Amino acid sequence: MRSLVLTCFGIGHSRLMPGTLGSLPVVGAVVLTTQYGTPWSTELTLLILFAAGTLATLLLGKWAEKKWKRPDPGCVVSDEVAGQALTYLFVPWNDLLQTGTTTMLALVITVGFVLFRILDITKPPPIRGIQSVHGGIGILVDDLAAGLIAGGLTWWGTQLLLLPPPSLA
């Protein structure tokens, strides 16, 4: 059961891009809740995914490193779930869903995903420097840092998209 939670029900065992695939359930949840729910249900879903990914990684990270005999095992993607959810928690869903277009929504979802994955994969400073801790916190902290930065950039981009067009008068 522990490995199912940490690998997001086996997604992390993919040979091809497990971290990227591990972020996709969050993207799917956002697409579903923005299409069939409310801004509130989107934010609540993201909070639940963030909390679940964070708690699973923190509580089971040390166990995972022993089981897979390496620090930050690649098959553990609960940290990607937490980081991707954190990225999307910065998005002003109410404003975007009330005043934005479907194209804007798709753009924000895509940009949030791509920014998080780029930052998580490349680990630019300061992200790279904070990953040296072992156990659950070491597995999680770089993804949360990537989520914070990607979330801030996604929020900023969303604000620019939602600005009214300049008046020509």
Side-chain angles (χ1 to χ4, degrees), residues 1-130:
M1 181 62 158
R2 291 181 278 195
S3 64
L4 278 178
V5 170
L6 289 169
T7 64
C8 197
F9 300 94
I11 291 172
H13 290 300
S14 169
R15 294 180 193 264
L16 184 65
M17 303 180 304
T20 299
L21 293 176
S23 295
L24 287 177
V26 179
V27 176
V30 166
V31 170
L32 288 173
T33 58
T34 57
Q35 295 304 302
Y36 301 108
T38 64
W40 183 85
S41 65
T42 300
E43 291 167 2
L44 179 61
T45 300
L46 289 168
L47 279 171
I48 291 168
L49 289 170
F50 172 73
T54 298
L55 286 173
T57 308
L58 288 175
L59 296 175
L60 301 173
K62 195 172 196 169
W63 174 86
E65 288 185 335
K66 286 180 184 176
K67 176 176 176 52
W68 287 294
K69 298 175 177 66
R70 51 184 279 203
D72 198 355
C75 62
V76 172
V77 295
S78 54
D79 53 333
E80 271 80 12
V81 170
Q84 187 67 69
L86 180 58
T87 298
Y88 288 140
L89 280 168
F90 279 80
V91 174
W93 294 109
N94 193 51
D95 295 341
L96 183 60
L97 293 171
Q98 285 186 1
T99 61
T101 65
T102 304
T103 303
M104 284 182 189
L105 177 63
L107 181 62
V108 168
I109 292 170
T110 302
V111 165
F113 173 73
V114 170
L115 283 173
F116 173 69
R117 292 309 306 143
I118 287 171
L119 291 167
D120 188 36
I121 291 166
T122 63
K123 299 189 187 337
I127 297 169
R128 182 176 308 277
I130 60 177

